[in-house]
Every structure is written in C-alpha cells, then in structure tokens.
Amino acid sequence: MSKMDSKKIESKWQEKWASADLLYKAEDFSKKQKKYVLVEFPYPSGEGLHIGHAFTMTGADVYARYQRMSGFNVLFPMGWDAFGLPTENYAIKTGIHPSKATDQNTATFKNQMKQLAFSFDWTREVNTTDSNYYKWTQWIFIKLFEKGLAYKEEKPINWCPSCKTGLANEEVVDGKCERCGAVATKKNLSQWIVKITDYADRLISGLEKTNFIEKVKAAQINWIDRSEGAEVDFEIKGFDKKLKVYTTRPDTLWGATFMVVAPEHWLVSEVISNPEIKQYVEESKKKSELERSELQKEKTGVFSGFYAINPVNNKEIPIWISDFVLSTYGTGAIMAVPAHDQRDYDFAKKFGLEIIPVIKSKTEWNYDDGAYTDVNTGEMINSDFLTGMVPKDAIAKIIKWLGEKGVGVKAVNYHLRDWIFSRQHYWGEPIPMVHCEKCGWVPVKEENLPIELPKVEKYEPTDTGESPLANIEEWVNTTCPKCGGSAKRETDTMPNWAGSDWYFLRYLDPDNDKSFADMKKLEYWMPVDVYVGGDEHNTLHLLYSRFIYQFLWDLGVVPKSVPEPYYRRMSHGVILGPDSQRMSKSRGNVIIPDEVAEKHGVDVVRTYLMFMGPFDGTMAWNENTLVGVKRFIERFYCFVSENKDDFGQKDSDKISSLVNKTIKNVSEDIAKFGYNTAIAKLMEFLNGVDKAEKSEISKESVKKIVLLTSVFMPYTAEELWDILGQEFSVHSQMWPKFDENSLKNEAKEIAVQINGKVRGKVNVTEGMTEDQVKELAISDNNVKKYMEGNEIKKFIYVPGRIVTIVV
RNA sequence: GCCGGGAUGGUGGAAUUGGCAGACACGCAGGACUUAAAAUCCUGUGCCCUUUAAAGGCGUGCGGGUUCAAUUCCCGCUCCCGGCACCA
C-alpha cells in the first residue's frame, strides 16, 4: 500500500492555492443567491490559534464550502477583534506598542488559518484596531449620544480591582469578573452608560424573527427577564413625600403588613442620623454583591421609624430598611406580603411581623411551612371587592382600581441593566466626546473622526479609575467643537464589545470611507444566514450586537427589510482535554492544533474534529479516535490512487445505489451541521466499496465521492482530484447530485414481524402494493413456520420499513 | 426556585412522521503477514442462560400508560449539564 505523504501534499497545494487566491472570493451583487456564513472572529492572542478555534472554524468552513459548491454566492469572512487586555498587558511588560504586538499576532493567526485550509475571503479582512475601522465604532457612539441613548453619570458601578476597570453587568458572573475571576467590588465613578434597556422589549420580540435554537433564545429572554406588575404609591405618615413600590402581586395589597426599602433608598437619608440605622446602612454598603447574595439565608434589617398608609384600607404599616431589597431594581422599595412571598415571610418571621393571608389555597395550607405563592389557583379572601376571585384575575381588577383612584399604574420591569460603556484602559477605542465647561459633553465632529489613540509612555491602568490617556495633556486639552473654547477630551475607552457589535457589517464593505458600509451592499448581503459562535456570548456579544443593529435600523442606515442581523445562530461545542477537563495551561492538558497537524496532517485534524461528536456537543480529545480517522483518510487515499486505472465505465446496480445514497445522506447531514454522521456515511461508503470489484465502480462516481470529502479534507481531495486527472481545483467544482431513481429502484430488505418478533426478511421495492408484499411475506419459509395453524388477525405494511403480522 | 437541554454497550456516539436499538469509530478478543515487534489486513464483539450451536430471556435513567409496535408519544419521579436568581 502506498503511503500518503500528507506533508508533501499540504505544501504543494498550499502554494497552488496561494497563487489562485480568489478561489473563495465573494462577489457583490452576483446573480447567484447569496449566503452569508459568519463565524465569530477571534481575539488574536500571543498564544496562537487554539484547538477550540480550529474546531469552530472548521465547522463553519465545512458549511461554507458545502454552500459554495452547491451554487451559492458565499460570503465567509474573517477578521480580528484585537483590542483587549492581554495585548495591553504584553505592552506593559515589554514596552512594545500594542499595535505592533497585534500585527505579529494577527500574522500568526492568519498563517495558521491558511494552514488549516479555511476558505475565508481574505480580501475582506477587518481589524477593530484599525483607525479606519474604529472611526465607525466611534461614529456609532456619537449617534447613540445624539439620540439620547448614551449619557454620563456618576454612580456606583461594578469594578474589577484586578483589571482595574469598570465592568458591565453582563461581565460580572457569580459576583466575579468574567475575564479574570477576581471578586467584583463597587466603585463610584462617572461613567458613560448606554441605554440598552430602552430596547429590552424589542430584544425579546425580535427573537421571533430569528431562527435561533431554543437555548439561545431562552438565555437572552432570561437575562432580560421582563416582569409585569404595578407601581403603587403609599403615603408616609407625617411626611409629605410618597413611597412608590413596584409589585407583581398587587392582588395581595390587603396582605401587605410592612414595607421595605433598600439601604440606598432616598428615604433612608431622612433618618440616617439615627446611629443604629447609620451603622446598618454602612455595613451593607461595604458588602460586595457576592457577599450580599451569599448571606441570603439570614435576613437583616432595621426599622426606619416611619409608617406607610396602605391605599386599599388605610392601615398604617411600618417601613423597614433591608439590603435584601435591591436599589437597582424596580423603585428600590417594596410592599411586603409575608403570607404570599417567601422572602417577605422570612423577614417577618425573623422580626416578628404580622402575617395576614389573603388567598385561600385549594388544598390545606400550613403557614408555618412558608408562603403560599401560586397565582393560578386559590381564592382571594379578606380583600374587599377582590374577595372570591382567582388571584391572576384579581391582578387585572386591582390595577384598574388603582388607576381610577390615582394611586397606582401598570408597570413593567427588567432584570437587564443599562450598559456601562467606559473602560479605564489604554488599548480600546477612545470615546469621541469632549467636555466643555460651557457646553457640557459635546461629540467630536464627524469630519474629525477617527479620534486616534495617542502614543503613551505608560500603559498601566491606575487604581484611581482614571485611564492612562488622562496623563497626556497635549491630547486631553482640546477645543470645544461647539463653542471653540478650551475643553478636555474623554479619556476612557470603549469596552471590547464595541468593536465586535457591528463587524459583520464592515465585511460587506471594508474599505468604505463614506459610511460604515454601502446600503446597496447591505441590502444584497444582509442578514447573516448562519452565525456560528459560542454559548458564552449569548448574553454578551450576541445581545449587544443585536441591540446596536436594532439601533442602526432605527437610524435607517441598515436595510428596512432586515430587522434582525442574524437569521440563524449555531452554537458550537467545547473540546475538553484528554482528561475530560477544560483545557488550561495549569492542568497541562492543552492540545495545540499545529502540533497535531504536524504529526498527523491537517486533514486528519479537521476531519477528526468534525467526527468527534455532534457539532454543538462537549467532547473530550481522544487520540485513539483520531487515529481511526487517520486510517480512514489513508484508506480512502489508497482506494482512489491505487485503483485509478481500474475503475469502470458504469456502476453496478449495487454500487450505484450506494453512491447515490451516500451523496444524499452526506449532503443532508452537512446542511444540518451533522458532521459526525456525514463522515460516518463516507466511511460506510468506503467499507462498502473496498471489497467490491473495482470495475464495478465508475470513475465518475469516485469523482463524486472525492467532491464530498473535499469539504472535510481539502488537501487530500485536491490531490486525489489531480490524481484522477481532473482540472484544478476540486474546490471550484459543483456539489454532486444524486439520482432519485436509483434510490427508488433499489430492492430493500425489510423485516417481517409476527407478534412483535422478527421472523423473516423480504425484499421489497418502492412501487410494490400492500397485497404484493403480503404475498411475499407469507410465502417466506421462516414466516410460514411461525404462522402454522394460526390465523392472521391483522396485517400491517409500513412502506419501505416493516411488515407486521398479528396472529 | 424558574428556564433550557440531557441520561442509549467497556468508550465516543447513531437511529425521518412511533417501525429490525446499538450505524460509524474506538477499545477488546482471535487470526493472517513477520525471526519478532510495529504498521496493515481479516473475523468476532449489548447483556444473560448455553460445552457449542440452534432456540430463548433481558435490554435505551426509574415507575406507570397508550399502541400490532415506544429510545421516540402521555402521566408521575430520580439524577446530570447549562442559563437566571433576595429581580418584589
């Protein structure tokens, strides 16, 4: 058996492909139908491409290749999300400018990607750190500002003491910094904030126009977490201001026995002179978000001295202060109904407050066990005009009543918070704003964009929360774009997400200097047909970029007919180390794609990655299975190369149906990202054909199968195409079609069951009638044996599948 | 607690609308080639009973149900993974 020399094959075609680099070019306005296949662009770290990148991108590449060969005008671009902390840290350590490090890293990444034979259209490469790219990132920010969706405010924000920067709510996971894992603290800082909450409803409803899988939709809906209820005003006894609360259960108003406000609530400042209250408030302010939620079992609190008046019955109820009420949600104040809310219940038990049930449970309910919270069953009691109703109906009635009395309105709340948009770091897009004593915050004039990052001596972030840019006086000091007076530039930079929010639009027109992309091109290419990415971005990048896109849609700068940027989202899976643990340097279980490719060949790596398991699964690296794939590729190579002169003119019937079945199944599987089964079917083909006489197989059919393999193993397929004497390149061929007739005529062996047990087999073809099959089945010797002396009670024939006889 | 997804041989995983469970691959066992090993090739491989074979029994997390037929549908659970969570 002639061994294949994968090294030689790789370098040979690598060279040939480089000189024919328009192989994968996407053509604007082509008459072919477009297909925009997008895979998340990477952060070009100094470590190079890791196996997760290789996996994800191979998956996207196979899909793009399949669509391209199927006749679509495929856009499959790549770029660099290059602003970020690792590069900045590298600069701090070495003094080398981040842009230089970025250049080196992107060059390495690009090389690796070419080595792995990803079919990107490199003529559309983008880089978020290019000033002619981030010009438009800045432009988008100015538009947000102009539309009142970006504002600067001093307020306590999440702060990572390790990264020394502010964090968006989405970047705090379990109370820790999403990037470095340090416990997030609170810090009072003046920050740019983007009002993503204005789009909360649309971010939910827009999902209906997409074809995202359930889990992605659910993650976003959960994160936004819309709730409906009412805002109710309570008078405060002996005080002229009212206390506004948000509740989802206004039906339980008669059961409200006390009120609770957050320690940050305005009312607290009225009584802060009380030493007990002062101490409580200070202690809870010291706690981080993490500590507050960790301590959630034991409730704490202090009585404010105030009483509120319940608008439904004029009862006076005490107002307490407790940090289980969040200042950031609703109004920062609640009415407590301990009989029907577990948290209120716990608080009441701890401080000996009254518990008044206003809903009678259908079944016996013991209030010693906790609160009764069901809205859908039970019956209102002790509630005046609501008495007798089901709680969920009572809600509508009481909201109407509150409105008539002018003490409450229907209200909606979200878990989603506004987006903290300032970062106190060097390596990011400068926020294009200028502060003027006279005019306040003024955006830079559009013609003066981009505001380029100035050179600095020191890249270190500071503990004070000031960006390193603040030290460059000649850059900071400028003139006001409005009045021309002296003014200062904003020194904070944008979060990473700013550049990646809209990059998929720039691919469509990467060199445009009049706008971020030409409308005609946008209209041709948008929306993204399939977006391949990771679940870790479901509530970060994916949510942010949908928001920014919706905003651009409102501006009218993206096509009216495309309200959502991504039609379909495909989640990719995760590759674990050989020990089934997440790969990490400290565990020493990291698999480096280059090394595996060096040892086994690129096609083996690609095909193995796709064969490991379902594309969206979590799978452990296993060198044994990889060797199995290697065997397959080598066997396939030998099958074609060694028999190239022995293949016949025409397939035998058996081979013909195998070939057609393979084309059909492989195509269908690839179209739904079922790569593991697609490869299994190619293996089946080889197993089936390996033992057959080679003259039974036509060269035409072999060519078709080579085309099928080309999406997984582009090098081997190109070599085999050449060996078969075909013209370069295999990758610009059309995807093979299968012959429906050859599948129809195929005789199929199906099982004959008697009383649920398989007792025989019969060969049927598609056109056969039930009677014909019946005759065939009962004439089978084995079947006859089992039917002896029995009468057929029922005969069932499921065409092409099974015969069942009940006796 | 709420939401989403799972549980199939020794292992990774396959199974259109309910239709022969275990495709494909790994591993394992036996054999061929070899002085030997590696590589390669061939054969077997869900479990149990059985000397072997035939025949049978049991099998898709657990308990019920519908059906000629259930991994698939329905009811009730257990456990695992992911998201959210003192969100009023």
Side-chain angles (χ1 to χ4, degrees):
Chain A
M1 186 188 240
S2 71
K3 263 285 222 187
M4 74 183 270
D5 185 346
S6 60
K7 282 276 113 44
K8 211 167 130 192
I9 294 172
E10 280 170 28
S11 55
K12 173 177 164 192
W13 294 112
Q14 196 56 250
E15 216 169 291
K16 190 91 191 250
W17 291 342
S19 59
D21 61 355
L22 299 184
L23 221 48
Y24 307 124
K25 190 160 165 40
E27 193 191 333
D28 292 327
F29 313 119
S30 156
K31 285 209 178 63
K32 286 187 195 171
Q33 210 185 324
K34 69 96 185 179
K35 186 79 79 172
Y36 189 173
V37 182
L38 183 67
V39 59
E40 284 172 356
F41 65 162
Y43 174 76
S45 73
E47 262 124 65
L49 207 69
H50 61 68
I51 198 77
H53 289 130
F55 170 68
T56 306
M57 290 175 187
T58 303
D61 183 57
V62 170
Y63 191 80
R65 285 175 178 280
Y66 167 69
Q67 297 295 356
R68 199 180 288 119
M69 291 174 79
S70 299
F72 286 94
N73 179 28
V74 170
L75 172 55
F76 186 48
M78 188 34 66
W80 317 105
D81 187 16
F83 276 128
L85 286 185
T87 308
E88 177 169 305
N89 290 335
Y90 179 75
I92 290 169
K93 222 163 51 186
T94 62
I96 293 171
H97 194 271
S99 67
K100 209 168 166 186
T102 297
D103 284 349
Q104 287 168 2
N105 293 343
T106 52
T108 308
F109 266 67
K110 195 168 170 178
N111 258 330
Q112 290 174 303
M113 289 180 185
K114 286 191 168 177
Q115 193 62 39
L116 286 166
F118 298 144
S119 61
F120 296 127
D121 177 356
W122 288 107
T123 64
R124 294 167 182 268
E125 185 178 350
V126 302
N127 186 327
T128 56
T129 65
D130 282 348
S131 58
N132 61 16
Y133 180 94
Y134 68 68
K135 171 181 177 178
W136 299 104
T137 313
Q138 292 174 332
W139 180 86
I140 291 170
F141 183 85
I142 289 172
K143 292 295 161 194
L144 286 165
F145 177 81
E146 287 172 356
K147 294 288 170 189
L149 289 168
Y151 58 100
K152 195 157 195 187
E153 189 178 273
E154 171 157 333
K155 67 172 189 180
I157 57 144
N158 299 306
W159 174 262
C160 174
S162 164
C163 300
K164 295 181 182 173
T165 189
L167 300 172
N169 208 40
E170 288 78 7
E171 291 171 302
V172 180
V173 178
D174 293 332
K176 293 171 191 159
C177 170
E178 180 247 350
R179 169 173 293 280
C180 73
V183 174
T185 57
K186 291 274 175 190
K187 197 176 180 101
N188 246 324
L189 272 185
S190 180
Q191 301 281 308
W192 284 101
I193 294 164
V194 172
K195 275 200 208 163
I196 189 171
T197 50
D198 276 15
Y199 282 71
D201 277 337
R202 264 174 66 197
L203 288 167
I204 294 172
S205 63
L207 290 170
E208 283 167 24
K209 295 168 196 138
T210 70
N211 197 13
F212 293 180
I213 50 171
E214 207 45 49
K215 119 173 120 165
V216 177
K217 284 188 185 177
Q220 296 213 349
I221 290 169
N222 269 339
W223 184 259
I224 297 167
D225 194 16
R226 182 182 201 271
S227 85
E228 269 182 33
E231 279 181 355
V232 184
D233 291 316
F234 285 66
E235 302 222 13
I236 302 169
K237 194 185 169 193
F239 200 73
D240 58 354
K241 281 200 219 163
K242 285 181 180 172
L243 181 59
K244 193 186 278 295
V245 302
Y246 173 71
T247 177
T248 55
R249 296 295 302 276
D251 55 313
T252 61
L253 263 162
W254 278 265
T257 56
F258 59 101
M259 313 283 284
V260 188
V261 299
E264 296 85 357
H265 194 267
W266 59 263
L267 184 65
V268 174
S269 60
E270 300 291 335
V271 286
I272 199 71
S273 51
N274 178 316
E276 197 194 342
I277 293 176
K278 191 173 179 183
Q279 196 196 344
Y280 179 78
V281 170
E282 274 172 11
E283 271 174 20
S284 56
K285 272 184 183 165
K286 260 189 259 166
K287 293 180 198 166
S288 69
E289 206 95 316
L290 186 64
E291 285 169 312
R292 274 202 194 184
S293 55
E294 266 177 356
L295 296 167
Q296 67 177 266
K297 300 225 163 53
E298 197 53 18
K299 291 218 169 7
T300 59
V302 61
F303 176 51
S304 72
F306 282 113
Y307 286 86
I309 296 159
N310 190 335
V312 296
N313 56 12
N314 294 320
K315 241 176 109 172
E316 287 178 19
I317 54 179
I319 302 174
W320 285 68
I321 301 165
S322 172
D323 63 10
F324 88 81
V325 172
L326 306 175
S327 61
T328 48
Y329 186 78
T331 62
I334 62 157
M335 65 174 210
V337 185
H340 305 296
D341 182 284
Q342 192 57 40
R343 295 151 301 179
D344 300 348
Y345 179 92
D346 294 341
F347 195 86
K349 280 282 175 194
K350 168 125 187 214
F351 294 101
L353 299 160
E354 208 181 349
I355 299 174
I356 304 175
V358 291
I359 303 167
K360 201 173 109 201
S361 162
K362 254 186 162 172
T363 54
E364 206 53 43
W365 190 263
N366 185 352
Y367 281 93
D368 290 336
D369 296 338
Y372 176 79
T373 57
D374 193 0
V375 200
N376 296 309
T377 66
E379 186 185 316
M380 302 301 303
I381 52 168
N382 304 324
S383 296
D384 197 348
F385 56 89
L386 296 182
T387 299
M389 298 180 81
V390 177
K392 67 169 182 213
D393 298 331
I395 291 173
K397 187 157 185 185
I398 186 71
I399 288 175
K400 198 167 163 239
W401 183 89
L402 290 166
E404 281 162 6
K405 297 278 168 191
V407 290
V409 288
K410 192 170 176 177
V412 172
N413 261 292
Y414 306 93
H415 167 190
L416 183 73
R417 303 272 190 276
D418 276 336
W419 182 8
I420 308 291
F421 206 75
S422 299
R423 297 293 179 277
Q424 293 68 41
H425 275 267
Y426 174 73
W427 192 229
E429 301 89 345
I431 294 175
M433 298 295 293
V434 170
H435 190 256
C436 168
E437 288 293 331
K438 253 195 284 176
C439 311
W441 284 104
V442 182
V444 168
K445 281 188 183 152
E446 211 174 303
E447 64 262 31
N448 292 330
L449 294 178
I451 299 302
E452 297 204 26
L453 257 179
K455 300 266 181 211
V456 293
E457 298 290 318
K458 282 182 161 179
Y459 305 104
E460 275 93 343
T462 63
D463 291 310
T464 59
E466 223 178 11
S467 152
L469 293 180
N471 294 325
I472 317 173
E473 281 188 26
E474 64 273 26
W475 184 78
V476 172
N477 292 317
T478 183
T479 52
C480 172
K482 206 168 176 182
C483 72
S486 68
K488 286 183 185 304
R489 286 189 194 283
E490 171 60 59
T491 59
D492 283 351
T493 53
M494 298 188 199
N496 277 155
W497 315 109
S500 56
D501 280 341
W502 68 281
Y503 74 113
F504 55 95
L505 298 171
R506 190 63 177 173
Y507 284 138
L508 310 185
D509 200 5
D511 300 317
N512 195 325
D513 57 2
K514 302 275 188 302
S515 68
F516 61 85
D518 178 75
M519 185 57 108
K520 287 268 176 311
K521 292 181 182 175
L522 289 164
E523 277 168 350
Y524 178 77
W525 287 110
M526 285 301 286
V528 173
D529 293 279
V530 184
Y531 191 13
V532 178
D535 285 336
E536 70 275 18
H537 289 137
N538 286 345
T539 53
L540 288 162
H541 164 68
L542 199 59
L543 194 67
Y544 292 147
S545 68
R546 287 185 57 231
F547 158 59
I548 291 297
Y549 184 86
Q550 290 185 350
F551 168 70
L552 294 173
W553 191 82
D554 287 347
L555 285 184
V557 292
V558 291
K560 266 282 161 272
S561 59
V562 185
E564 282 281 333
Y566 313 117
Y567 174 63
R568 178 174 174 200
R569 170 77 174 182
M570 184 67 208
S571 286
H572 65 240
V574 178
I575 311 283
L576 304 173
D579 53 358
S580 295
Q581 300 292 309
R582 234 162 230 287
M583 287 190 197
S584 77
K585 269 197 200 155
S586 57
R587 284 202 188 91
N589 62 350
V590 177
I591 302 291
I592 297 164
D594 289 10
E595 289 175 4
V596 192
E598 178 64 27
K599 193 168 159 195
H600 299 287
V602 168
D603 285 347
V604 172
V605 177
R606 287 177 56 112
T607 310
Y608 167 60
L609 284 169
M610 297 299 98
F611 183 66
M612 288 177 86
F615 186 59
D616 58 356
T618 303
M619 298 150 297
W621 184 264
N622 182 342
E623 194 95 3
N624 281 328
T625 308
L626 178 142
V627 169
V629 170
K630 188 176 187 173
R631 252 176 234 156
F632 162 68
I633 293 180
E634 281 178 355
R635 272 179 61 211
F636 184 71
Y637 175 84
C638 292
F639 164 72
V640 178
S641 61
E642 287 173 9
N643 303 306
K644 62 179 196 298
D645 301 321
D646 305 327
F647 293 127
Q649 291 297 311
K650 201 168 169 289
D651 292 332
S652 68
D653 284 353
K654 213 175 136 196
I655 295 295
S656 168
S657 83
L658 176 63
V659 169
N660 283 294
K661 210 161 63 189
T662 303
I663 296 171
K664 180 172 193 275
N665 291 338
V666 170
S667 310
E668 284 171 359
D669 285 352
I670 292 175
K672 57 180 189 200
F673 287 83
Y675 299 145
N676 53 338
T677 51
I679 293 165
K681 276 148 199 167
L682 289 169
M683 289 171 167
E684 263 178 86
F685 169 82
L686 185 59
N687 291 343
V689 94
D690 227 6
K691 283 166 222 161
E693 279 302 319
K694 301 306 176 257
S695 58
E696 271 188 69
I697 312 154
S698 71
K699 190 170 165 185
E700 279 310 302
S701 288
V702 175
K703 276 164 61 184
K704 285 179 184 170
I705 303 298
V706 169
L707 289 172
L708 298 185
T709 65
S710 74
V711 295
F712 296 110
M713 28 200 248
Y715 290 106
T716 309
E718 189 78 282
E719 177 73 11
L720 291 174
W721 193 248
D722 188 48
I723 286 172
L724 289 171
Q726 302 304 303
E727 231 170 85
F728 179 83
S729 155
V730 73
H731 300 301
S732 38
Q733 304 303 311
M734 288 302 284
W735 191 255
K737 293 199 164 52
F738 60 90
D739 177 10
E740 200 80 57
N741 288 329
S742 96
L743 293 175
K744 265 192 193 145
N745 297 337
E746 186 195 0
K748 218 173 185 178
E749 191 188 60
I750 66 167
V752 180
Q753 287 185 343
I754 299 172
N755 287 352
K757 296 253 188 297
V758 179
R759 296 303 186 191
K761 307 261 174 162
V762 287
N763 283 309
V764 298
T765 54
E766 195 150 310
M768 274 187 180
T769 64
E770 182 163 330
D771 286 340
Q772 285 174 307
V773 175
K774 185 172 180 177
E775 205 159 306
L776 213 58
I778 55 178
S779 61
D780 181 271
N781 278 337
N782 213 31
V783 173
K784 259 188 197 157
K785 202 171 87 191
Y786 281 93
M787 299 222 316
E788 208 110 303
N790 289 311
E791 207 178 306
I792 296 180
K793 272 198 194 141
K794 206 166 179 179
F795 180 88
I796 303 158
Y797 170 55
V798 184
R801 293 205 186 278
I802 202 162
V803 174
T804 291
I805 302 168
V806 185
V807 297

